[in-house]
Amino acid sequence: MKTDLVVIGAGIAGLVTANRAAELGLGVVVLEKGSDDRYLCNSRYTGGAFHIGMRSLNRPVEEVKDTIRSETDGFVDEALVTMLASEAPRAVDWLRRQGIRFMKAGPRDWQDTVLAPPALPQPGLNWEGRGGDTLLRTLGGALEKRGGSIHRGVRARDLMMEGGRCVGLRAERNGETLMVEARAVVIADGGFQGDPDLVRAHVSPVPEAVRQRGAGTGGGDGLRMAAAAGAALRGTPYVYGHILCQDALTNDKLWPYPWLDELVMAGLVVDRTGARFVDEGRGGVYVTNRIAKLDDPLGATVIFDRPIWDGPGTESIIPANPHLPRVGGTIIEADTLEGLAEKLGIPADRLVATVAAHNAAVDGGDTAGLTPPRSTGRARPFPIRKAPFQAIRLVAGMTYTMGGIAIDEHGRVRREDGTPIGGLFAAGATTGGLEGGDAIGYVGGLTKSSVTGLRAAEAAAAELGHNGLDGSGVGR
C-alpha cells in the first residue's frame, strides 16, 4: 500500500487529521485496530464538551492562555499554550463546516460548546447516537467523500525509517504483515491507559485497582513506535480521570458516571489508617491521580455527612445524590464517627482526630495549615459534624493518559534535543506536554485532539508541498 499520509487511529484526532489533510490535497489512509463498524474508542464515549481547563474556549485568547498556564502550573511550553488558546475556536468552526453540530448544554461557561446530541444525564455508559458517536460517523463519511479510506482491523506495529525520516510503517491485519509506504505518518492512536504494563510503569503500581472510565483501547502502540524512532516523551506519569465509587469495579452502571469529585472536594479523603493523604481541594483529576499512585489504591475512602450529601453531592452533571444508590453504589453510614470507623475497619481514634482537625481548620479558615494542606480555590470545604456520618470507598477512574510523545506547535514529533523527526507527526491523547505536570493540570481532551489534528495535517501538507492555505488556515 502506498499513500501520501497514513494516520494511525480513527478517533477524533485521527479523523480530524485525515479530513484536513485530504482537504489540502493529500492522499490519506487511516488505520484503525478496531474491526467493528462502530469501533470503540474514547471519542465514541465522550461527554462532548469542548473547553479549555473547564472554562469556555471562546474567551479572549490571553485569558485562555492564562487558564492553561494556571491549570498546569507552567508545565506547558509557551508555544503550545499559544497553539491551544488561539486555535481552539478555529478547530470548532472547522468541525461545524464538516457537519458537526454543537449546542449550549448548561449554565456553566464551559458548557457553551457541547457536541449534539448531548450525553444522557443518567448513570452508566450511554453513547449510541450521542455526540461522539455521531461525530465519528460524520467525519468517517466525509473522509470517504474526499477520497480517503479507513482500514479497520489493522494494528500498526513499527515505523519504517530511512536516513532519520519516517517513510511508512508495518502493520498487522488478520495475522498477516501489511507494509504501508507513506511520505508522512501521523500517530493518533490515543493514550496508553489500556496497557497494564505501561500503566504500572507510569501511573499506578496496581493497574488492576484502577477503573477504566473510557474504552480502554489506547494500548500505547504509537508511543512505543515513536520512542523506538527516537522521539522524546513528555509528562507521562498522570491521567485525566475522575473519582468513582469502588463498586464500579464490578458494577458497570457506576462508570463513567456518577463521579464523586464534588463529595471529595467538600468532605475529606482518608486511607485505611484514617489519615488524610491528599489535598482534596485541588479537584477530582488531581485526587484521582494521587489515589492511583498509592501502594494500596483501593484503600481510599471519602468521609462526609448529610449536609454535604444534600448539598455538594447534588451538584454534578450526573450527581451522586440521587443516582449513586439508585444504581447499586454502596454508601456506608452510622450515627457516630466511631460507628462509621468500625464499619470501615479504620481505627476509630484516628478517624475522629482527623475529622476534628478538619473541622477546626474549616471553622478557623486555616485549612492551609492542615497536613497535607487543604486548598480552597476550587471548592469550599464543609465541616463534618451532623449525623448520619457517611462514607464511600473510592477507586481512581482513568479516562486517558495525559502524557506521551513530545510534539512542537505544528504537531511534529520531537527528539530529545528538540529537533523534529522528518515525516512523523502526532495528535490527540498520544501526545505529551499539553496537560499534566506536577499540578496534574487538565486542559481538555476534545479540544486538544482537534487542535493538534488540524496542526499535524497542515504541517504534513506543508512538508509535502500541498500547503493550499490562506492566511486564516482555511484551504483555498
Side-chain angles (χ1 to χ4, degrees):
M1 188 184 298
K2 291 185 179 181
T3 186
D4 290 325
L5 182 72
V6 60
V7 179
I8 305 170
I12 181 173
L15 291 184
V16 166
T17 302
N19 273 280
R20 185 62 178 133
E23 249 185 349
L24 295 172
L26 295 182
V28 182
V29 168
V30 179
L31 306 182
E32 166 55 45
K33 71 178 182 180
S35 57
D36 294 340
D37 178 52
R38 284 181 162 178
Y39 51 89
L40 298 183
C41 61
N42 278 0
S43 301
R44 190 86 65 186
Y45 287 0
T46 181
F50 281 66
H51 63 86
I52 288 185
M54 300 303 289
R55 300 283 306 281
S56 172
L57 56 79
N58 298 304
R59 293 171 293 134
V61 170
E62 290 305 317
E63 205 175 299
V64 177
K65 287 182 181 180
D66 286 342
T67 295
I68 299 170
R69 296 182 192 113
S70 174
E71 287 295 311
T72 64
D73 197 21
F75 170 73
V76 179
D77 292 341
E78 195 59 28
L80 298 180
V81 170
T82 298
M83 176 192 73
L84 285 169
S86 61
E87 294 282 54
R90 178 170 79 94
V92 171
D93 288 343
W94 182 87
L95 285 167
R96 284 195 175 100
R97 292 198 300 275
Q98 314 313 304
I100 305 303
R101 294 188 299 122
F102 294 89
M103 61 180 287
K104 183 175 176 60
R108 301 180 178 96
D109 81 330
W110 60 267
Q111 295 174 304
D112 64 355
T113 308
V114 177
L115 290 173
L120 295 172
Q122 63 189 41
L125 182 62
N126 307 280
W127 60 267
E128 294 185 71
R130 301 290 103 196
D133 183 30
T134 300
L135 176 142
L136 293 184
R137 288 187 285 122
T138 301
L139 291 181
L143 180 62
E144 291 183 3
K145 290 178 181 178
R146 290 179 168 126
S149 58
I150 302 173
H151 297 257
R152 295 193 297 273
V154 180
R155 185 171 184 176
R157 287 298 191 186
D158 302 287
L159 297 174
M160 297 191 299
M161 306 294 295
E162 288 184 6
R165 179 180 180 83
C166 186
V167 295
L169 57 82
R170 300 177 188 85
E172 285 183 1
R173 178 170 56 192
N174 298 326
E176 296 184 355
T177 298
L178 176 68
M179 308 289 285
V180 183
E181 296 180 29
R183 299 170 67 199
V185 172
V186 179
I187 300 171
D189 65 338
F192 57 84
Q193 61 276 357
D195 185 277
D197 291 335
L198 287 172
V199 171
R200 182 178 294 105
H202 297 281
V203 176
S204 174
V206 193
E208 60 271 21
V210 177
R211 182 59 164 102
Q212 293 281 348
R213 280 193 74 247
T217 52
D221 292 339
L223 181 142
R224 287 190 177 95
M225 287 187 288
L233 304 182
R234 184 130 160 81
T236 53
Y238 303 115
V239 302
Y240 164 65
H242 290 281
I243 309 155
L244 302 178
C245 173
Q246 203 168 113
D247 294 336
L249 290 169
T250 55
N251 182 348
D252 285 345
K253 294 180 180 179
L254 289 166
W255 73 272
Y257 305 100
W259 65 46
L260 308 181
D261 299 19
E262 284 73 18
L263 287 175
V264 164
M265 288 189 286
L268 60 86
V269 177
V270 297
D271 59 20
R272 293 191 196 274
T273 72
R276 291 179 58 248
F277 61 88
V278 66
D279 179 351
E280 300 92 342
R282 297 187 70 168
V285 178
Y286 183 89
V287 176
T288 294
N289 278 273
R290 293 306 176 203
I291 292 174
K293 291 191 179 301
L294 292 173
D295 291 336
D296 178 18
L298 298 181
T301 300
V302 59
I303 308 295
F304 55 100
D305 63 4
R306 183 55 59 82
I308 294 175
W309 177 249
D310 290 336
T314 68
E315 293 172 0
S316 180
I317 303 170
I318 302 171
N321 181 6
H323 293 294
L324 184 81
R326 286 181 177 176
V327 292
T330 302
I331 302 174
I332 302 155
E333 69 174 52
D335 291 332
T336 65
L337 285 171
E338 290 84 355
L340 187 67
E342 182 178 357
K343 290 183 177 182
L344 292 169
I346 289 174
D349 57 346
R350 186 67 177 272
L351 181 62
V352 169
T354 298
V355 172
H358 166 87
N359 289 347
V362 172
D363 292 343
D366 185 28
T367 56
L370 289 168
T371 303
R374 171 69 180 261
S375 56
T376 59
R378 294 180 184 272
R380 174 171 68 94
F382 282 57
I384 301 170
R385 57 168 58 99
K386 294 185 179 180
F389 298 100
Q390 297 173 302
I392 301 172
R393 292 189 172 94
L394 306 177
V395 65
M398 175 174 58
T399 310
Y400 67 81
T401 45
M402 284 183 171
I405 304 165
I407 60 169
D408 66 12
E409 68 272 25
H410 303 291
R412 299 179 298 185
V413 173
R414 298 168 57 186
R415 300 181 179 90
E416 287 290 351
D417 63 5
T419 59
I421 298 175
L424 187 59
F425 304 82
T430 194
T431 62
L434 295 112
E435 294 182 299
D438 290 339
I440 315 180
Y442 170 51
V443 172
L446 292 175
T447 306
K448 178 176 73 172
S449 292
S450 302
V451 168
T452 54
L454 285 183
R455 278 292 181 99
E458 291 163 0
E463 188 173 300
L464 302 183
H466 286 255
N467 195 359
L469 302 177
D470 63 24
S472 67
V474 176
R476 295 192 183 107

